[in-house]
Amino acid sequence: MVDVLALVEARLRTALGEPDARAAVTFLGTDRIEVLRFQQGDIVRYATLGMSAHPMADPTAVLADPVEGPRAELVLSVRSGLADTDKALRPLAVLAASPQVEGLVVATGASLDVGDPLWPGAPFTSVLVAEPGGLVEDLDLDEPLDPVRFLPLLPMTPNEAAWKRVHGAQALQERWLTNGTDLRDPSRRSVPLD
């Protein structure tokens, strides 16, 4: 069996450079999830490592397929030095463990909520899962394994998350674009939603 996580870490290093820190979290009944930190200029990126070890399974399926199914890792990018964003490691690990713990299939356009600020003083308690393929290219695996997708996470304020539930992910992303929102600003305010 191919070591998916070794290939994933190699892809992350190729795309983002050498990680300058890593932390591991293990939740009862789940595999270990690591979060790697990459510093690139004034941007710090946090990438999960461990979510893709197993395919995500449809929560309505009687048995989870151990081979086929979507695989993903999560990537969060924020401006460094403006907030204590390193405290986002545990919430990111919680989100990465959600397919194992809750049977979620994390996909583009989904909202993931941690219930608490992503880091101390953060105006965000949830994230929007964005389109993969931009920052880190998908990692193709040998058949019949699905490729690993690296899903960017865009922090959302509670108001933005509520607005997104009504109007959809595309509408919220258009609102951010129209207003020139800096989605990497760890202390940004909610986009105008009138």
Side-chain angles (χ1 to χ4, degrees):
M1 188 68 184
V2 63
D3 184 353
V4 173
L5 296 184
L7 296 173
V8 167
E9 184 167 355
R11 175 58 54 94
L12 286 169
R13 287 172 185 266
T14 299
L16 305 176
E18 286 299 310
D20 65 353
R22 64 193 311 144
V25 180
T26 305
F27 302 99
L28 188 62
T30 67
D31 293 337
R32 181 169 109 152
I33 302 286
E34 289 188 83
V35 179
L36 283 60
R37 184 180 70 189
F38 301 88
Q39 185 75 44
Q40 294 181 314
D42 70 336
I43 302 295
V44 63
R45 302 187 196 283
Y46 302 95
T48 63
L49 179 63
M51 183 176 168
S52 61
H54 305 285
M56 293 181 276
D58 182 343
T60 62
V62 176
L63 287 174
D65 189 320
V67 177
E68 294 186 48
R71 294 174 188 258
E73 295 291 352
L74 308 175
V75 181
L76 173 69
S77 300
V78 291
R79 296 202 182 289
S80 62
L82 302 176
D84 191 6
T85 56
D86 281 352
K87 295 287 195 301
L89 299 178
R90 185 166 180 78
L92 283 174
V94 168
L95 296 177
S98 61
Q100 287 183 61
V101 175
E102 301 174 33
L104 291 179
V105 176
V106 177
T108 301
S111 298
L112 303 175
D113 196 323
V114 293
D116 290 313
L118 290 173
W119 53 82
F124 318 107
T125 58
S126 62
V127 293
L128 175 66
V129 180
E131 287 284 336
L135 184 62
V136 183
E137 287 184 33
D138 294 350
L139 173 64
D140 290 325
L141 301 173
D142 293 336
E143 292 288 336
L145 303 179
D146 284 24
V148 176
R149 305 208 184 288
F150 297 88
L151 301 171
L153 301 179
L154 307 176
M156 293 188 293
T157 66
N159 285 346
E160 290 170 338
W163 196 85
K164 181 251 175 198
R165 280 192 292 278
V166 174
H167 300 281
Q170 184 65 40
L172 178 58
Q173 289 179 300
E174 288 171 9
R175 183 64 60 115
W176 282 335
L177 190 59
T178 301
N179 285 276
T181 305
D182 180 2
L183 296 173
R184 294 177 179 166
D185 180 350
S187 56
R188 72 171 179 84
R189 296 186 185 276
S190 182
V191 70
L193 299 170
D194 300 343

